[in-house]
Amino acid sequence: MFDAVLAPAPGALDTAPLREPRAFEALVREIGEDGAREVRSVFWSETSARLQSFRTLALGQHRARFAREAHSLKSTARTFGYLRLATLALRLESTAEAIGAAELGDLLEQMEAAFIAAKAQESED
């Protein structure tokens, strides 16, 4: 049900917010500021590694892995409120079985850009 909320209208992704600013505050309330910062640090590291690994996987042989990894990325990005990244991960998750190589390359570029932009926004806070 929540996935449908994240699915943007065609062409609307560029206007989707990078993040929900209150998401991190909610996490701080749940696990404390030190814990939230530590978990977010792990998120940055794991997401960077995950995005790099997407570039090394052969699409034809690893469609199920693309879907699983995208699902995990969607969930963790959503936890921290990184809406654009979560939306793109949802798109990969839902299209992994049928996506073509060119479309995958474009989607990965968008995911990497969303990741970089989200991380830059966090360092401004």
Side-chain angles (χ1 to χ4, degrees):
M1 183 165 95
F2 193 67
D3 291 344
V5 173
L6 285 177
L13 189 58
D14 292 335
T15 61
L18 284 175
R19 69 181 168 128
E20 165 54 52
R22 294 176 304 257
F24 188 72
E25 294 168 10
L27 191 59
V28 167
R29 283 191 302 275
E30 288 181 31
I31 65 173
E33 188 164 346
D34 289 342
R37 289 188 187 281
E38 186 175 325
V39 172
R40 184 172 61 186
S41 178
V42 170
F43 167 78
W44 292 130
S45 174
E46 288 182 355
T47 300
S48 179
R50 182 173 278 133
L51 291 172
Q52 289 175 3
S53 77
F54 283 150
R55 294 289 188 178
T56 65
L57 296 174
L59 179 60
Q61 297 172 344
H62 296 285
R63 289 182 182 277
R65 184 166 175 196
F66 274 103
R68 278 192 315 274
E69 293 292 328
H71 175 80
S72 294
L73 177 55
K74 174 193 70 182
S75 298
T76 55
R78 190 183 299 153
T79 296
F80 291 102
Y82 302 120
L83 303 178
R84 191 175 301 173
L85 184 56
T87 300
L88 291 164
L90 170 61
R91 185 181 297 166
L92 177 55
E93 177 186 15
S94 63
T95 63
E97 289 301 317
I99 196 169
E103 295 90 357
L104 175 63
D106 182 54
L107 184 53
L108 292 178
E109 285 180 21
Q110 292 177 55
M111 291 171 74
E112 290 163 354
F115 174 73
I116 290 166
K119 194 167 183 181
Q121 189 176 37
E122 286 301 322
S123 55
E124 292 172 3
D125 291 346

